[in-house]
Amino acid sequence: MGIRYYGWAITDEEAAEARTDPWPVIRRADRRGDEPGWTNTCFDKAWPLLQRLFSPEGVRQPKPGYELVAGDVTYPYGYLEGYEPYVGVIARDRVPTIARDVASVSRSDVRLFCSGLRYGDQQVRRDDEGYLAYYLAEAQTFTADAAARGHAILYLIR
């Protein structure tokens, strides 16, 4: 199954509420689903690749797009006891900057990034480029729509 990323466009008022208690806002945003004017997304298991894309190794300051996928689950009681999800809230005023940065990444950038990916066995996974390109396009659409509508963003890594 694995840990996945889910994101919702929300109002700035909901963003303030979510900083205190995100769960009612998540439920409300999830119920809006496909209502006109509201967007949501799932980056599946691509969020760690998106993190690496927006915060390359050796770079001190991640790119603004990193804010869209920052965070990870935690294991406060040990790995065998399960994990706690990560909830991120992005204020409306940050969304346009993030959207511009996400939009600035091209397919050739993804190709170059993926050509340098190595794993524990030092292998390159051939399907990473298409997988990442697909979810980058999702991120581009999601952030552009949220920025155009003046929405904040709430996301959950779980």
Side-chain angles (χ1 to χ4, degrees):
M1 184 124 152
I3 298 167
R4 290 181 165 79
Y5 175 109
Y6 304 92
W8 301 269
I10 59 174
T11 67
D12 220 32
E13 293 77 23
E14 287 175 318
E17 179 186 342
R19 286 185 186 90
T20 303
D21 185 3
W23 300 107
V25 181
I26 289 171
R27 284 190 292 278
R28 198 164 49 245
D30 209 36
R31 278 193 305 270
R32 282 193 291 252
D34 297 322
E35 287 181 21
W38 296 99
T39 56
N40 56 47
T41 194
C42 173
F43 297 153
D44 194 44
K45 298 175 199 168
W47 61 272
L49 285 173
L50 289 166
Q51 282 183 339
R52 291 172 67 181
L53 179 66
F54 290 110
S55 185
E57 206 172 296
V59 173
R60 286 188 178 172
Q61 184 68 27
K63 295 174 65 179
Y66 182 78
E67 293 177 55
L68 183 63
V69 290
D72 198 350
V73 299
T74 58
Y75 298 86
Y77 307 106
Y79 186 77
L80 295 178
E81 299 300 317
Y83 62 85
E84 294 290 322
Y86 180 88
V87 177
V89 180
I90 302 170
R92 173 182 63 200
D93 65 336
R94 290 293 305 148
V95 174
T97 301
I98 293 166
R100 280 190 301 276
D101 186 46
V102 172
S104 74
V105 181
S106 69
R107 180 66 189 241
S108 62
D109 294 330
V110 170
R111 188 175 306 111
L112 180 62
F113 169 77
C114 287
S115 71
L117 283 177
R118 298 289 182 267
Y119 297 91
D121 57 6
Q122 293 301 306
Q123 295 298 308
V124 176
R125 296 184 187 147
R126 301 276 179 232
D127 58 347
D128 278 345
E129 183 182 329
Y131 184 70
L132 181 56
Y134 175 83
Y135 285 108
L136 174 64
E138 288 289 310
Q140 290 168 334
T141 300
F142 176 64
T143 56
D145 186 72
R149 296 176 189 277
H151 289 155
I153 292 174
L154 171 64
Y155 66 93
L156 174 67
I157 299 174
R158 79 183 263 169

